[in-house]
Amino acid sequence: MLTYTIRRLVLAIPTLIFISLAIFLLLQLAPGDPMAQVPLTVPPEVKQQMREALGLGQPWYIQYYKWLIQFFWIEPQVMFDNMFGTTFAEGKLRVISWQTRSPVMDIVAQRIPQTLWVVGVAYVLAILIALPIGIYSAYRQYSTFDNAGTFVSMIGFSIPPFFTGPLLIVIFAVQLEWLPSVYNTVHEVNDWDSFMVQLRQMVLPVMVLALQITAQLNRYMRASTLDNLNQDYVRTARAKGLKERTVVLSHVVRNSMIPVVTVIALNVPNIFGGAIITEVIFKVNGIGQLLITALFANDLPMVMTLTFIFAILIVLFNIIADVLYGVLDPRIRYD
Amino acid sequence: ERGSDGNVSIIYWQAPSIMNPFLSGGTKDVEAASMVIEPLARYNETGELVPWLVEEVPTVENGGVSEDLTSITWKIAPGIKWSDGTDFTSADVKFTYEYCTDPEGGCAQVTKFEGVTSVETPDDMTVVVTFDKPTPFPYGPFVGGESPILQAAQFADCMGAKAPECTEQNFNPIGTGPFVVTEFRPNDVITLKANDNYRDPAKPAFATVTFKGGGDANAAGRAVMETGEFDYAWNLQLAPDVIAKMEEGGKGKPVAGFGPLVERIMLNQTNASPDLPEGERSTRAHPHPFLSEPAVYKAMSMAIDRPLLVEVGYGQAGKVTCNWVPAPAIFNSDTFDCSTQDIEGANKLLDDAGFTDTDGDGVREVNGVPMKILYQTSTNAVRQDFQALIKDWWRQIGIEAELRNVDSSVFFGGDPGSPDTFQKFYADVEMYANTFNGTDPQSYLGNLLCDKAPRPETQWQGENITRFCDEAYDALHAQLAETAGSEERAKIGKQLNDMAVEQGAMIPLVHRGRLSAHANTLGGVVLNVWDSELWNVADWHRID
Amino acid sequence: MLDESSTTPIARIEGLRVEFQTKDGPVVGVEDVSFDVNPGETVCVVGESGSGKSVSSLSLMRLVEFGGGTIAGGRLLFDRKNHEAIDLAKTDQSLMRTIRGNEIGMIFQEPMTALNPVFTVGRQLTEGLRLHKGLSQKEADARALELLRQVRIPEPERRLKQYPHELSGGMRQRVVIAMALACEPNLLIADEPTTALDVTIQAEILALMDRLKRETGTAVMFITHDMAVVAQMADRVVVMFRGNKVEEGTVEEIFENPQHPYTKALLAAVPKLGEMRGKGAPEPMKLLGREQGVIAPIPGTDQPLLKVKGLTTRFPVKGGFFRRTVANVHAVEDLSFTINKGQTLSLVGESGCGKSTAGRSILRLVEPMAGEINLDGVDVMSLSPGALREERREMQMIFQDPFASLNPQMPLADQVAEPIHNFGTLKGAEITKRVEMLFDRVELPRSFMRRYPHELSGGQRQRVAIARALALNPKLIIADEAVSALDVSVQAQVLNLMMELQAELGVSYLFISHDMAVVERVSHHVGVMYLGRIVELGPRARVFENPQHPYTQALMKAVPIADPRRRKSEKDLNFKPIPSPIHPVTYTPEPSVYREVEPGHLVLETDSGY
Amino acid sequence: MTDTNTYGALQDKEPQKEPRSQWSEVWDQFRRHKGAVWGGGFLLFITLAVLIGPYLWTVDAQKLDIRAKDMRPIYVALWDSSAKTGWNHPFGTDQLGRDILAQMLSGGRASMSVGWAAMLIALLIGTLVGVVAGYFRKLDGPLMRFTDLVLSLPILPLLLVAVTLFRQPLVAFAGSPEGGMFILIVAIIGITSWMQTARIVRGEVLALKEREFILAARSIGTRNGAIIRRHLLPNVLSPIMVSATLGLATAIITESALSFLGVGFPSDYPTWGKLLADAVPRMERFPERVMLPGIAISLTVLSVNYLGDGLRDALDPRIRGR
Ligand SMILES: Nc1ncnc2c1ncn2[C@@H]1O[C@H](COP(=O)(O)OP(=O)(O)OP(=O)(O)O)[C@@H](O)[C@H]1O
Ligand SMILES: Nc1ncnc2c1ncn2[C@@H]1O[C@H](COP(=O)(O)OP(=O)(O)OP(=O)(O)O)[C@@H](O)[C@H]1O
Ligand SMILES: [Mg+2]
Ligand SMILES: [Mg+2]
């Protein structure tokens, strides 16, 4: 198992380097201009100077090389410095965003908690709702509960967030005035009241997201449970005189969780990636919103770094999912 | 009393990414910074210059501007302190000049300092700016939100190439304004608190400011006028019926103001045909086959129902205009009237000029060339509505338009390699809006000078987008550059405006205003289109 | 104790009827079945696939409900531990739960799937104990250990912590038995507990059950379709047919004096080891109720068709950080034999000994590492891919699972015609003619030509597979467990068909099987395989009547004989666990050296690992 | 019970049922799944509506009629007689007076064709990669690494880049901006969504390859191409169909999300997603402008999902057997 994990991790390195090159070249090809948002009143010569100040004139391979060094060598040093108070990275040039002229990683670090709060909570909530429903649906296949569950999750799956989002805002924020429509990212939770405020502002975005994720997970869980309910070992368990509860909750669920857990793990990068549309709609300025604004502003270092971080997460969680599979299923032994 | 009114929350649907206007130039950044750092003088809501950190606005009359118009002397008002408690001196002003003119810094506002040969500081309270030639309008440097003063002590290490690395300084500049930054989250939220060292002890009324960025204009308007979550929303580019509906929410109201921003259709004076070899397309080497015919561009203008465009696209934030420079008021020419659509007249004009539909396909021909034009603009809902309407009207006068829209980051991006920039103008007509800063249009009017045309030799840079070229115009503009006295300048300015419109450089459509909204409980808001909207945030207060 | 309680049956099934709701309307799984099980007695329930054996037993556990069935009638009287009789058909599920596993234990057919793969053996064993006996975890562990010892699992302490997949099939079945016995039930239901196992393991499990029954005095209801197993195990026998009981009696009565024609036909179809004693050549079986021509021996010829020499096939085992070959599975090791034209050579041996690999290697469906294969003068090993494809006209294969070896999405005629299309031997209408002829030949109605595999029964499917193998008139057919998946009666028919074809067309067979009785019936020559090598090779009569190699002898002993008077006892059985065929890359096996004990009868001298 | 009867039973059993192909059984099972039948029916209806609709409702979706702007759908008249309604615009008009019914139809055409085309591309690539990787052991490693790589490419940025990058050449190639964007969007969605299909198909092929009938086919001299064509493809059809339905749904949603983010089709080319996005600011006054495209998207996706569900059940022989 350990060899397997290490092997996969080592193999991931060339993959990632290749991905970074692919992303970099794609972005280089993109015809946008970081100066596009500067008003027309600023004359072109000035814009040209500003561009040069950003280092845009250099050939791509130099830019790529610089970025590689900054991302893989200097940024880890900065991280180390922050943790242990050392000064390895002092004076070294970090990956700088063109929009804000500040280190990309600082902004990313600032955004991650916001994204995690909303998307993460939605994810956890969705898991907590979806799994029991999926199990019960499978257990009572074709019952009213199952049909209703299927219907609701299909609906959740089919309604895009850019439809539910504004709809919920109009209902709950504008008409009923129960909940805020704009998420306050600087809100601090320090007592019960502020906690309630936080809860209230999280309700709408979490609802939109959780509906979608629940729908998906529920389907997986149901299918996987159904598969296992027909297995011979379930009959064996029943023949032992176990209660239905035990049969389902311990024997069946333990087995059906194996594929579902890996699906859950595979989707974790999406949490970090943020849910772009939901973030935009509710003004949760998280990673997703960061990416889309950076894209529209042609902030290449930011886009490059963000997409690459996603790529790392995706590759990483792919490995984690595979390893988890091995851990959960004793039949699978990687060597 | 300072800080007695609690918190004020402002929403800008474009989030500020930096607090240093010299490194960005984006309106959102300039406006956010204007709460913290200030210029020596700024424009008020009527476009008039008012002293800000100085005792008075220097003029020739009061002796602040030299007779030969080559220098201007600013007298700093006494008692002004930076928010860290140190004194504001002329050295800071001089430093700001040096900071922005450093060739490696990539300063976005460097044009403000065009023609400046030196900035001297005879004493701590005096700043003398010298120009290389007589400058009738010497209020470029240190005037308006785009040219505020930075603290020398804070930015000393951030000159030139180091400018972008000074994250702390760029996010949290020390200023003289009513507020200081407590936290800056790029592209997200800025939180500010009242400046303890602000010169007026009674101001600002608010103790803190929450400045939220992101989302879209619609959500921002809703948050102020419908749900009341925010006190102020900036620049609501929304259709009038949408604004009206939001106003019904009853929590806030929209305010509009008009600067010189004009939505216009630029007419390409040159041939942009893709059949021409690269490098000759859209250059003066090949004049346009028919767009420079007066009958054609006049008919195209007459066919447009401008009041309808205003209604559809801007409502109270738009006015019909036939001028390139509709503001300030003294520069607004009244030569033309274009407020009524006249399809018949337009058709007649074309028929009379002999441009008829010879082959019966509904499209007129000029010397056998069908009047088919490519009509491009940036991607934007209102512009696409305009395109659709105008295409329809032009069809009615026998001109066929093909529509095209380009992503704004490409369209305005100025990448010489891209065929889609508005500067390359690989189309027959294109629509966008432009404006100028401050109240003096001299350099804006200079945009139509012959040698400002983008062409391959200039890497397609240049402001003369239409490639308009008229010697008389160039001469008149040179005259403007030497004329002092606002009356006189306004007269020449109007003449230039009329020449451009009359000769078909563009078809002005809508004089666009700014529409912002504030909560009913927010007092002291004075919408200013000549400077930052937040210019008087120190005066804002809560009313019940 | 035995005598006292034998007066009242422990379970009494009266007029049981079970129905299933399916999309084609209700299906009757069991129509009308009545029989008793007395304390301390083994009742064997026999009958062909689908006759309702499993459904009856599941009804007794009231587990049919979970499979969608309902008990539509009859009574299931059960004598509880406290001698209180209840009707299980009317008991509610919560009371059933206290009976299941506690008073009635059940052993299921598939040891591979009957255990939950993600829980340790220990946990699955103790679950029932803690539930029914209220034991603490520690007591339950101790009891579990005791149970594992009782079923004679080696190293029982270690097994408790292992997962099911870490045990061999035989060990898993022992665990399942231990689980069923955990709470000392009065009645043990065993639903085909040995069908999926090898002969040797089957023998051990049967002996084990027999011993346990004697030690604990539990009544056993033993379900099987294997008459030989019945002969070994039963006190009394219940014969089922199409959801009904057709005959019941003591084991001797049933075997020696069957009354019902069904029972007679069934017994006639069972090949019995030793039946061919004294006959030189194989001959078709005599089946009841079938028109058969004269049954004549099939002598074959003496000209060699296939000569295999030193055939070796290994599968690499990759591992380590760089995924290099770290070891090899020595599936087939230095195999040499000859098949004569029109004759059959059988390969027998336990699961995993390399029989299939040997067969596939000859066709080069898996690439052998070394060796010579000479088919009628053609050196198969040296053929280029194209030539090899051509050569495959001459040798065909029939696979074990008739369902798996047919494409479920293709009409049968197309599947039979596929080889003809592949080689373009015939064109147009001739193909149809040929296919029709083949269908006739394997005695399938022509109306089946447009059908799909799932619409046929197992034997019919296997006939299609045979027809396909015959399509190109091959000289050699490799039959890899071609009849193992079939019911006895169908198996007998297919065997007869194959033998008739041999007599008629003169094809040679390489017949791969693990069933000694079948092998005895069909072969001219027999090779006994163990761990990749042939340990004994010779004329069928010689190998069966005079086994020389210790492994052959042990194997012969393990084969259950369909004769209740010749039961085996556990003492006769002495099997060593099969060593692993996996060896490091550096390992070089010794060449096989044979000693000729009789003319043509070779016995391996080299140490084979047994 | 007579002897012949008994002996007959010992022979191979004749199938009782009429011969029928597997597909008729599939259809039988499929018909049982009410949701799937409804879903399939609705999908058919929508597809026909957007295909034939524009010929029946001949109003030009782009025609501006500024005097008739902001009309409400006809049903509003039921409760609000003062509303501006009219049979000439049964679904009302938008703020420029374009007919909403016509826009819905042509928008649906765009959305559906994007959905279908992208799904087909994804399916084609996915099946090809999956089958090749599963069947040819040598290609398995490289192809699956490649799949991983594409999987970890961030899709949205990629798309935005591609939109800006290839728009011009494609517009030139397709002759019209809509055509160019259509190719681009379809290609991007297709190219970035085949991986799931490829993985599933590969898994199925790997499992099928171990089935004896493939070995049997090889032993009777069937060539690789024929094995894939005759034996593998028909048997992986069921997972392919299921991922096809899911792919169709995701493609429709992805396209509308792109339109919502403003990177989809040109603004004068309506798709359901664009109609929805454009209507959001006015959704309180004209809820129908959001609801109509929103419901159209949701219902289509919903019906496709149900269809997929039904197909999965129908194509799974284990379930079908029951
Ligand atoms: N869950 C079910 N649904 C429908 N019919 C069933 C079900 N289980 C069993 N049957 C039917 O009941 C009959 C008896 O089946 P049963 O499993 O008892 O046979 P069996 O004698 O155990 O056969 P085998 O030797 O193959 O195990 C068969 O005709 C079968 O088709
Ligand atoms: N493709 C393969 N890769 C690795 N090992 C294999 C492969 N095929 C077979 N083996 C191994 O080779 C050995 C012989 O297998 P084979 O299938 O020939 O046995 P068998 O005698 O036919 O068994 P059974 O009666 O169970 O079919 C076994 O140990 C098996 O695990
Ligand atoms: Mg059974
Ligand atoms: Mg085998």
Side-chain angles (χ1 to χ4, degrees), chain C residues 308-311 333-338 534 537 592 594 602:
Chain C
V308 174
K309 225 160 139 197
L311 186 71
E333 199 53 63
D334 195 3
L335 210 63
S336 310
F337 55 82
T338 306
I534 291 185
L537 175 73
S592 303
Y594 291 95
L602 305 173

Side-chain angles (χ1 to χ4, degrees), chain B residues 218 222 226 238-239 241-242 245 308 311-312 379 384-385 388-389 392 402-405 407 410 419-420, chain D residues 62 64 66 69-70 95-96 98 164 167-168 177 262-263 266-268 278 280-286:
Chain B
N218 187 45
R222 183 158 56 212
E226 286 190 287
L238 292 169
D241 58 326
V242 176
K245 170 71 190 166
L308 182 67
E311 188 196 324
V312 165
T379 309
Q384 266 77 71
D385 286 355
L389 288 165
D392 190 43
E402 182 196 331
L403 302 185
R404 194 163 104 94
N405 57 77
D407 187 78
V410 176
D420 295 328
Chain D
Q62 292 309 309
L64 304 176
I66 203 78
K69 66 171 188 170
D70 287 341
Q95 72 278 7
L96 294 180
R98 287 177 287 214
T164 34
R167 183 198 298 247
Q168 247 25 67
V263 288
S267 53
D268 50 348
D278 292 348
V280 164
R282 296 184 180 83
M283 75 193 252
E284 283 166 83
R285 271 199 308 149
F286 305 104

Side-chain angles (χ1 to χ4, degrees), chain A residues 2-315:
Chain A
L2 191 66
T3 335
Y4 173 80
T5 316
I6 294 173
R7 207 181 106 82
R8 287 287 305 266
L9 286 173
V10 169
L11 276 184
I13 292 172
T15 315
L16 281 173
I17 300 226
F18 189 78
I19 291 178
S20 76
L21 185 64
I23 301 174
F24 190 85
L25 289 179
L26 270 169
L27 292 177
Q28 283 295 312
L29 288 171
D33 177 34
M35 292 299 124
Q37 288 195 335
V38 171
L40 292 184
T41 47
V42 175
E45 312 87 70
V46 178
K47 287 189 188 171
Q48 189 50 37
Q49 277 174 18
M50 292 171 75
R51 260 179 227 123
E52 271 158 25
L54 295 176
L56 252 158
Q58 290 160 333
W60 69 265
Y61 46 87
I62 294 192
Q63 290 188 37
Y64 178 61
Y65 177 74
K66 270 191 179 167
W67 179 86
L68 270 187
I69 296 290
Q70 286 167 352
F71 189 88
F72 284 105
W73 184 234
I74 300 179
E75 290 298 340
Q77 288 179 348
V78 173
M79 216 151 30
F80 192 82
D81 290 354
N82 286 345
M83 278 192 286
F84 303 105
T86 48
T87 51
F88 287 116
E90 212 169 54
K92 292 184 184 150
L93 194 63
R94 303 174 60 185
V95 186
I96 299 275
S97 152
W98 286 348
Q99 273 179 101
T100 68
R101 314 298 177 93
S102 67
V104 165
M105 291 310 266
D106 290 359
I107 306 180
V108 173
Q110 201 173 61
R111 294 300 183 89
I112 281 180
Q114 303 177 7
T115 294
L116 281 189
W117 256 109
V118 175
V119 193
V121 165
Y123 201 61
V124 171
L125 196 71
I127 294 174
L128 292 181
I129 299 174
L131 300 192
I133 294 183
I135 294 167
Y136 193 73
S137 284
Y139 187 65
R140 293 251 171 271
Q141 198 190 4
Y142 300 134
S143 67
T144 320
F145 181 89
D146 180 31
N147 286 333
T150 306
F151 185 73
V152 170
S153 51
M154 288 281 195
I155 295 265
F157 196 74
S158 342
I159 302 191
F162 52 83
F163 182 41
T164 27
L167 198 70
L168 289 180
I169 288 187
V170 165
I171 296 174
F172 291 105
V174 177
Q175 302 290 347
L176 299 172
E177 302 196 17
W178 288 352
L179 301 163
S181 68
V182 177
Y183 185 90
N184 180 2
T185 43
V186 287
H187 180 75
E188 268 174 35
V189 178
N190 41 30
D191 55 8
W192 177 250
D193 284 343
S194 59
F195 178 68
M196 287 311 288
V197 171
Q198 175 67 15
L199 268 192
R200 271 158 43 86
Q201 68 171 352
M202 275 169 55
V203 171
L204 290 183
V206 166
M207 224 155 97
V208 168
L209 282 173
L211 180 68
Q212 258 196 324
I213 307 170
T214 308
Q216 228 170 339
L217 281 181
N218 173 23
R219 306 293 300 155
Y220 275 115
M221 191 68 208
R222 177 177 178 272
S224 164
T225 309
L226 269 182
D227 269 357
N228 280 290
L229 273 172
N230 291 328
Q231 298 288 323
D232 283 356
Y233 68 79
V234 177
R235 200 174 52 181
T236 313
R238 287 195 176 122
K240 271 190 260 184
L242 299 181
K243 291 198 200 68
E244 278 302 292
R245 248 186 106 72
T246 326
V247 171
V248 175
L249 291 185
S250 102
H251 284 262
V252 176
V253 168
R254 179 66 216 296
N255 278 283
S256 358
M257 283 303 285
I258 295 170
V260 177
V261 164
T262 56
V263 168
I264 291 176
L266 281 179
N267 279 319
V268 169
N270 296 347
I271 306 184
F272 290 92
I276 292 181
I277 291 185
T278 313
E279 285 190 2
V280 168
I281 289 174
F282 293 98
K283 271 67 74 185
V284 183
N285 294 340
I287 298 280
Q289 186 261 5
L290 187 64
L291 175 64
I292 192 116
T293 43
L295 270 168
F296 285 136
N298 272 292
D299 185 354
L300 294 196
M302 178 73 88
V303 177
M304 174 76 200
T305 309
L306 277 179
T307 47
F308 188 62
I309 292 176
F310 294 159
I312 293 181
L313 286 172
I314 291 171
V315 170

